[in-house]
Structures are given as C-alpha cells and as structure tokens.
Amino acid sequence: MSLRVAVAAPFIQNGTRRLQENEFVVALSLDRDWFSPDQSKRLIDVATQDGLLERTDDALEATFDPGEVTVPDEFVPDEELLQERSAFERVLDALVAEGMEKHEAVGAINQLQEELGLTIETAAVVYAQREGVDVSDLVPVAREALADAEAEGR
C-alpha cells in the first residue's frame, strides 16, 4: 500500500518510530521532494485517520513497524494519497492487503448490504470481521453511518 510506504519513509530515513512533525514534513518535502510542506501536513492527517500515525503531545508515532516496509528506489507517491478515504475504501484496502481479490470483496460486501439492509460502510465492516480482518478502528464510523441512515429513514 503506497500510503504505508510514504508514511514509513521518514521513519526509515531517521531510524526511528517517533518523529517531530516538522521532521516528518521536512523528510517528505525537502529531503525526498515528494510533497509540498502543506501536502505533507495533509498526509499526516490522512495517515492519522487511517491509523498509521498517532499524534502524541510532542511528536508523531508510527503505529506499525516502519522497518518492515520497503521503499523502492523508484517509488514516488501519488497525490491521491492526500484525499480522505471513506470507511468502505479503508475496509476494502484492508481486505485486499490480506490477499482478497478486490472485485470479490466488493461483490460480497454489496450482497451483504442488500441482504441485511445496511449502509455500505456497515456492510464492509461486518464482512471484514466475518473474514477475520481487524477493522475494529472503523466500527465507530460504521455505527455512525448506520445511525445517520436510520435518522434519515433509509
């Protein structure tokens, strides 16, 4: 997953799992020339939302082991990484990362959504959990989507 690679790069470069936010931004914008400083800050927000980074009082911490990530020499992240992804997209990425074919996962989630009358986000979370894929961080998002749909009478 390229988001994980882009996030891991500054930590690998500095040989740590904890960086000051400005060190992270400098690594992505000046050292690697992948993003502008503002885009690098946006990447922090997206990676935090996805659970790859955690903000502490004074730093950013990787929630995964950056040392287990390989940054290919020719790797350049796409600006699409800077866009927020829906809970459905995030669950789908987790399923694909576990080896499931994307089209199979989408089909199964759509079928579950139809059978149970759920929102797509809720169906995705339920399906992932049934498949043994940990998406527990997205359960609150799915609950909120379900509550919103109920409130709107869908």
Side-chain angles (χ1 to χ4, degrees), residues 49 87 90-91 119 121-122 125 129 134-148:
Q49 177 192 19
R90 292 164 59 194
V91 171
T119 64
E121 294 86 358
T122 307
V125 168
Q129 289 182 325
D134 181 19
V135 291
S136 55
D137 60 317
L138 295 173
V139 170
V141 176
R143 280 194 185 122
E144 183 178 323
L146 189 58
D148 290 347

Side-chain angles (χ1 to χ4, degrees), residues 3 12 29 31 35 48 57 62 67 69 91 93 97 119 130:
L3 178 59
I12 293 168
S29 60
D31 297 345
F35 299 112
T48 301
D57 293 336
V69 177
V91 171
D93 284 348
T119 64
R130 285 182 177 177

Side-chain angles (χ1 to χ4, degrees), residues 8 10-20 23 60 62 65-67:
F11 294 100
I12 293 168
Q13 175 181 321
N14 288 284
T16 186
R17 288 181 73 152
R18 183 180 176 90
L19 287 172
Q20 298 297 314
E23 293 173 313
L60 296 171
D65 183 357

Side-chain angles (χ1 to χ4, degrees), residues 8-65:
F11 294 100
I12 293 168
Q13 175 181 321
N14 288 284
T16 186
R17 288 181 73 152
R18 183 180 176 90
L19 287 172
Q20 298 297 314
E21 185 169 330
N22 65 334
E23 293 173 313
F24 187 89
V25 169
V26 166
L28 292 175
S29 60
L30 298 177
D31 297 345
R32 293 192 178 265
D33 197 29
W34 284 349
F35 299 112
S36 71
D38 285 342
Q39 289 173 318
S40 297
K41 290 176 184 174
R42 177 73 188 123
L43 184 72
I44 292 170
D45 292 339
V46 171
T48 301
Q49 177 192 19
D50 274 17
L52 296 174
L53 288 178
E54 193 172 278
R55 281 190 162 104
T56 62
D57 293 336
D58 62 343
L60 296 171
E61 284 189 37
T63 60
F64 61 98
D65 183 357

